[in-house]
Amino acid sequence: MPSWTIHTAHVERLFAAHDPAELGIEDANAFLFGNYVPDVYVGYMVPGVSMHVDYCITHVAKISMIPVSNADFFWNQNIAYRMPKSPAGRSLTLGTWAHLVADRYFNGTFRTFWAELDIPLGDKLRIGKQADFDLFGRGLGISSYVEETPELIQAAHDFNPYRIIADDLHRAIETANDITREGGALPVCPTGYQLLNEEWLRDVFEACNERLETWLLAWQRLERDGRPFLARDVRDEAGLAPAMPDSPDWMQERLR
């Protein structure tokens, strides 16, 4: 999965090109935090949280060595059908969707990379992929910090898929802001990739950013016109192909 530096950099890129309101984002701070939400309870990003929620649940993914999130399903369930009422709630949920899109892009594209090269399955592949994602993220020069506001605390408490309690929100914000402090001080072009390279990662980052931007702008056109905005409606409006369903057998299919 992409590092939190990559998720933060996607938020910064969107806001550099557009006023948040143009993308339907009413609370930029809550949207930023939403980009970390799926990782809060998975057990390895935020220390000391009060519970564990399985990665495949928080990321709406099938069990796999390289899982890909079903961002369209999340969009339908938590935005199209159950849009939160508060500005912070809507923005946090949109940020969570953006996290899932980025995870799908980075992990999905890595699947293609693995299918084209003869790299054995196992921990070396998984650890090398994650290390390269982390290294790329460290060079993106992020500078955004989450503010722990009453609106964000309430939005996290009311989050549709599962409640994020205030103490865990606080721990997650501390973790995210520590990462930004560290990431902002690192060189722009790190070297030492294990499996990938700067060009491959940059291409995936740019393609993912374009998808986020295109989707949100298409959604806003539909919403302004009072038209439905299920995932298929947004895809039609944006001229995007239907999402490909994930196959739990993709690794076995590759090995045949």
Side-chain angles (χ1 to χ4, degrees):
M1 66 178 201
S3 64
W4 281 14
T5 49
I6 292 175
H7 289 297
T8 304
H10 274 302
V11 175
E12 293 182 352
R13 174 67 71 84
L14 287 171
F15 291 172
H18 300 275
D19 185 278
E22 185 183 356
L23 302 172
I25 298 163
E26 302 162 275
D27 186 325
N29 182 64
F31 180 78
L32 174 62
F33 181 76
N35 274 267
Y36 313 132
V37 160
D39 293 337
V40 169
Y41 284 125
V42 294
Y44 49 80
M45 279 302 301
V46 183
V49 290
S50 63
M51 64 178 178
H52 172 262
V53 182
D54 187 81
Y55 176 97
C56 289
I57 294 174
T58 66
H59 287 72
V60 197
K62 298 181 185 296
I63 297 173
S64 171
M65 177 173 287
I66 307 175
V68 293
S69 299
N70 190 336
D72 282 18
F73 181 86
F74 180 89
W75 178 276
N76 287 339
Q77 293 297 108
N78 300 290
I79 298 173
Y81 288 136
R82 293 195 301 172
M83 177 71 81
K85 295 181 180 179
S86 72
R90 290 191 290 271
S91 299
L92 183 148
T93 306
L94 286 167
T96 304
W97 165 82
H99 176 114
L100 300 182
V101 172
D103 279 15
R104 183 178 180 91
Y105 254 85
F106 276 80
N107 272 5
T109 310
F110 186 81
R111 282 186 181 185
T112 302
F113 169 85
W114 176 71
E116 293 173 349
L117 299 178
D118 190 17
I119 301 174
L121 289 170
D123 285 344
K124 182 178 180 180
L125 175 73
R126 177 182 58 81
I127 293 170
K129 169 187 77 77
Q130 199 57 49
D132 286 353
F133 285 179
D134 291 345
L135 187 59
F136 173 71
R138 291 174 192 169
L140 293 173
I142 59 172
S143 60
S144 297
Y145 294 89
V146 180
E147 182 181 356
E148 191 170 342
T149 65
E151 294 81 7
L152 180 56
I153 293 171
Q154 188 64 51
H157 178 275
D158 296 338
F159 183 56
N160 280 332
Y162 46 87
R163 179 173 298 171
I164 303 171
I165 67 171
D167 286 348
D168 296 334
L169 171 71
H170 178 76
R171 293 185 181 95
I173 289 173
E174 285 189 328
T175 299
N177 289 344
D178 285 346
I179 289 171
T180 293
R181 272 187 287 273
E182 178 186 353
L186 291 168
V188 174
C189 296
T191 58
Y193 293 106
Q194 297 181 33
L195 301 173
L196 304 168
N197 58 66
E198 182 83 12
E199 181 180 5
W200 187 95
L201 287 156
R202 181 68 63 179
D203 286 347
V204 176
F205 181 86
E206 295 296 340
C208 179
N209 188 77
E210 182 179 359
R211 171 58 57 86
L212 292 170
E213 183 177 26
T214 300
W215 185 288
L216 291 171
L217 290 172
W219 163 56
Q220 280 301 278
R221 292 194 297 271
L222 293 173
E223 190 175 47
R224 281 195 303 269
D225 294 344
R227 290 182 281 162
F229 50 83
L230 289 167
R232 64 171 178 265
D233 301 315
V234 181
R235 286 181 174 276
D236 286 347
E237 175 69 18
L240 301 172
M244 294 294 293
D246 187 25
S247 168
D249 299 324
W250 73 270
M251 287 186 293
Q252 288 76 10
E253 292 167 0
R254 166 67 176 85
L255 293 172
R256 290 192 187 115

